[in-house]
Amino acid sequence: MITENNILNHSDQNSVIEIKHLKKTFNGNTVLKDISMNVRKSENVVILGKSGIGKSVLIKCIVGLIQPDSGSLKVFDREVSDMNSNELNILRTKVGFIFQGNALYDSMTVRENLEFPLRRNKILRDSHEIESLIVEALENVKLLDAIDKMPSELSGGMKKRIGVARTLILKPEIILYDEPTTGLDPLTSREISNLILEIQTKSKASSIVISHDLNCAKITSNRMLILHSGVFKAKGTFDELMNSEDEWVRSYFKTE
Amino acid sequence: MKLNIKKIFRKQNNQIQHSADNIWLDTFLLELGGLSRFTVQFFRELFRPPYEHKEFLRQANKIGLSTLPLIGITAFIMGLVLTLQSKPVMAEFGAESWLPGMVSVSIVREIGPVITALICAGKIGSGIGAELGSMRVTEQIDAMEVSGTNPMNYLVVTRVLATTFMIPILVFYADIISFYGSYVAINLHDFMSLRLFMNLAFDPLHYFDLIPATVKTFFFGFAIGLIGCYKGYYSEMGTEGVGKAANSAVVISSLVIFIIDLIAVQLADLSSIFFN
């Protein structure tokens, strides 16, 4: 029986996610052809790419929401496809996922949204401890005032922040952001990007940020990968890629 | 030449018909397989903690309260119309005094459970299908999964249990209101005391009328909840998918209600022969 401890007992302390030759096809359309990458501890990796190119598919494979066709995908040195549902649930409490559309439970208040993963995972049973964790998570995203509001009463930026708070409440070691700034105005986008950076600094969590927003990538990334036609076409830091000798990479930055 | 063209058309039509039949059969078998797997999953999750008592009560309350007015009005009209329509025929045979008994047997055995279940399939089944469908589309179900919680346990088990236990209560409520409708109908032209009406209505009712009628309502409730949840849980993406989920939840559960009713009637018939 695999427990939480040996799931998280990674052999390589530096690499928390390791992907090799990953392939995924939907109805004959190969979305991910040959993906290889790794994410090191406390590192923010930004994956850039046009819409519909398979960026979200890749991070959904990491949390086991989508099964890849072939290749190896290791999180904390454990192959995700070999995990049973219990092991996957344990892993998922350590890997936070922030959805593009926030995915807040619209029949619950903000408090209930944050309480839900704690209560269901039986991480805390004491109601005072749960309450203090909720308050702390909301203070981190500067939205304590919204604690008793319904998601329908919140703006797009606020929903995004609550989504981040709900993910942070489980204190994940890896956070996957699916287009965190999509649909937001430039000012709110910048706020969210700064929040991602702040979270990395505070919690030392590793992150993959899926985006096609260059400003967000500039603020949040330690390293960047550009996904094109099912493979990573370019890798490097933001400055390296922007000043790349490869015309395609440079033009990508201009067109984006 | 004309004959050849006719032959070609006939052949093509046959091929199209054949492939259409195959698609229909494939879809039917896929749906049946999916629903069977979903049912097994439901029973597996039913006994697995955590048990969501609070959510079950919330759903039961929502299902019961939201349907009470609609069921009440329909049941009252049902009892009233059934009595008014049957009255002239019964009067022709000089059997007007049997009217409350005939109405009560019809309502308790068949009309009450089936009509209530059909209304619930339309209101509750479509509601569950649309709710879970929109949760699927807005990735709320995925969000539950990635936070390490089991959405099947929280969303499906609570809703299916709520419909399973609430439909029999709603049927009981509908039967009582229908009796009242029938009593009002009789008193529109004649006078009959409530006490006499109740005596005449309950006199022909036996345990063999009540038990199968009650047992089948649990199955009706289970089918409505399960099919609504199945269609919503596996809804296709997009708003069209939500609409389809709600629509097919109503269509399939209505059909299943009639199938369960048919089986229940046959079993009740067989058991009455066996026990008599």
Side-chain angles (χ1 to χ4, degrees):
Chain A
M1 177 69 193
I2 287 151
T3 62
E4 190 170 342
N5 284 336
N6 54 29
I7 272 192
L8 304 178
N9 184 19
H10 6 119
S11 59
D12 177 8
Q13 287 296 313
N14 283 328
S15 202
V16 286
I17 299 174
E18 221 177 320
I19 301 172
K20 283 178 188 165
H21 309 297
L22 195 83
K23 190 181 171 188
K24 181 66 194 174
T25 303
F26 291 102
N27 302 323
N29 175 30
T30 307
V31 179
L32 302 176
K33 277 183 192 159
D34 183 14
I35 296 291
S36 296
M37 67 174 285
N38 72 326
V39 179
R40 290 185 283 268
K41 213 171 177 181
S42 307
E43 183 186 34
N44 265 7
V45 176
V46 172
I47 300 176
L48 274 182
K50 290 178 182 169
S51 298
I53 214 157
K55 304 184 297 289
S56 302
V57 172
L58 176 62
I59 56 168
K60 282 183 179 173
C61 286
I62 294 171
V63 286
L65 277 179
I66 294 176
Q67 287 294 316
D69 298 335
S70 63
S72 159
L73 199 163
K74 287 182 179 176
V75 181
F76 300 126
D77 215 28
R78 279 292 316 277
E79 193 65 46
V80 175
S81 55
D82 292 345
M83 291 182 186
N84 62 32
S85 60
N86 285 338
E87 292 165 357
L88 207 55
N89 279 344
I90 294 169
L91 174 79
R92 283 166 173 171
T93 59
K94 298 289 166 191
V95 182
F97 196 112
I98 290 152
F99 287 86
Q100 189 178 348
N102 314 308
L104 297 180
Y105 311 131
D106 48 21
S107 60
M108 300 181 194
T109 61
V110 168
R111 185 198 300 274
E112 288 163 343
N113 261 280
L114 268 68
E115 191 188 304
F116 186 78
L118 290 175
R119 195 168 50 80
R120 292 278 299 174
N121 286 304
K122 291 184 177 169
I123 290 169
L124 290 173
R125 286 169 193 270
D126 181 48
S127 57
H128 294 293
E129 275 183 86
I130 291 178
E131 183 67 18
S132 66
L133 259 184
I134 292 170
V135 170
E136 187 192 326
L138 287 175
E139 272 173 350
N140 279 337
V141 295
K142 299 174 184 71
L143 271 177
L144 189 57
D145 295 348
I147 191 162
D148 289 317
K149 285 189 175 167
M150 295 300 283
S152 57
E153 296 172 80
L154 306 174
S155 69
M158 286 163 95
K159 281 181 188 168
K160 198 68 86 178
R161 283 170 178 274
I162 300 295
V164 173
R166 189 179 62 184
T167 305
L168 288 182
I169 206 159
L170 290 174
K171 303 204 183 305
E173 294 183 29
I174 300 171
I175 307 173
L176 308 172
Y177 298 89
D178 190 1
E179 314 242 7
T181 57
T182 300
L184 301 176
D185 61 85
L187 198 72
T188 317
S189 294
R190 183 176 281 272
E191 279 175 16
I192 296 291
S193 304
N194 287 328
L195 181 66
I196 294 170
L197 196 65
E198 203 182 306
I199 289 164
Q200 187 210 11
T201 320
K202 265 190 187 174
S203 68
K204 305 284 177 206
S206 312
S207 313
I208 296 182
V209 182
I210 298 291
S211 185
H212 45 72
D213 175 1
L214 282 178
N215 286 326
C216 172
K218 190 178 180 181
I219 294 169
T220 59
S221 68
N222 297 123
R223 194 154 54 95
M224 279 173 60
L225 303 162
I226 300 179
L227 185 65
H228 184 77
S229 302
V231 290
F232 287 125
K233 284 269 180 171
K235 301 176 183 186
T237 62
F238 186 87
D239 291 332
E240 281 168 3
L241 291 178
M242 204 167 70
N243 302 313
S244 167
E245 287 177 7
D246 187 332
E247 200 180 322
W248 179 83
V249 176
R250 280 204 317 275
S251 69
Y252 186 90
F253 271 69
K254 279 174 199 164
T255 53
E256 284 286 311
Chain B
M1 187 64 188
K2 271 185 180 175
L3 271 174
N4 279 342
I5 290 169
K6 270 188 178 176
K7 263 187 182 176
I8 290 164
F9 270 118
R10 201 176 297 145
K11 201 179 169 186
Q12 277 181 341
N13 276 341
N14 284 341
Q15 280 174 346
I16 290 165
Q17 185 63 42
H18 187 67
S19 62
D21 287 349
N22 277 348
I23 289 167
W24 189 87
L25 190 69
D26 284 354
T27 315
F28 173 74
L29 290 175
L30 277 172
E31 285 285 315
L32 197 66
L35 191 59
S36 310
R37 207 177 54 227
F38 194 71
T39 312
V40 171
Q41 233 176 318
F42 164 81
F43 281 109
R44 205 183 292 151
E45 292 301 330
L46 181 62
F47 302 105
R48 190 179 287 177
Y51 305 110
E52 290 288 343
H53 308 103
K54 210 174 148 188
E55 179 63 10
F56 164 71
L57 289 175
R58 197 178 76 88
Q59 288 300 330
N61 185 40
K62 194 172 138 189
I63 288 165
L65 277 183
S66 69
T67 330
L68 273 183
L70 183 65
I71 299 274
I73 293 166
T74 317
F76 181 79
I77 294 171
M78 204 163 67
L80 194 95
V81 169
L82 186 67
T83 309
L84 289 176
Q85 297 273 32
S86 311
K87 202 178 171 189
V89 183
M90 300 296 271
E92 245 179 69
F93 290 101
E96 265 184 283
S97 61
W98 287 9
L99 193 56
M102 190 221 75
V103 170
S104 70
V105 169
S106 316
I107 285 170
V108 169
R109 272 193 185 182
E110 190 61 30
I111 300 171
V114 172
I115 298 285
T116 309
L118 287 175
I119 293 168
C120 291
K123 192 163 189 326
I124 301 164
S126 65
I128 292 174
E131 188 186 10
L132 295 196
S134 65
M135 283 184 83
R136 169 67 70 194
V137 168
T138 54
E139 296 179 310
Q140 290 176 50
I141 294 179
D142 286 344
M144 283 187 187
E145 262 182 71
V146 296
S147 64
T149 61
N150 187 347
M152 185 81 189
N153 185 302
Y154 182 78
L155 297 173
V156 177
V157 171
T158 51
R159 279 165 177 77
V160 176
L161 283 182
T163 53
T164 308
F165 289 105
M166 286 313 288
I167 302 292
I169 295 170
L170 288 171
V171 168
F172 179 69
Y173 164 76
D175 288 352
I176 290 171
I177 300 283
S178 291
F179 279 17
Y180 184 68
S182 176
Y183 169 73
V184 170
I186 286 172
N187 279 281
L188 282 177
H189 303 294
D190 306 314
F191 174 76
M192 187 184 278
S193 70
L194 188 62
R195 194 188 173 95
L196 179 62
F197 174 82
M198 285 300 176
N199 279 338
L200 291 170
F202 283 100
D203 194 44
L205 284 177
H206 301 289
Y207 283 113
F208 268 118
D209 299 311
L210 289 172
I211 294 169
T214 309
V215 171
K216 74 180 173 187
T217 56
F218 283 97
F219 286 95
F220 288 163
F222 179 74
I224 292 167
L226 194 82
I227 293 164
C229 285
Y230 170 70
K231 297 309 289 182
Y233 201 83
Y234 294 112
S235 157
E236 289 164 26
M237 293 311 243
T239 44
E240 199 189 343
V242 179
K244 269 187 191 171
N247 183 271
S248 48
V250 178
V251 173
I252 298 173
S253 45
S254 302
L255 189 68
V256 170
I257 284 165
F258 285 115
I259 295 170
I260 293 171
D261 192 44
L262 182 72
I263 296 168
V265 167
Q266 293 298 318
L267 287 176
D269 203 32
L270 279 175
S271 60
S272 67
I273 292 167
F274 182 75
F275 285 111
N276 287 332

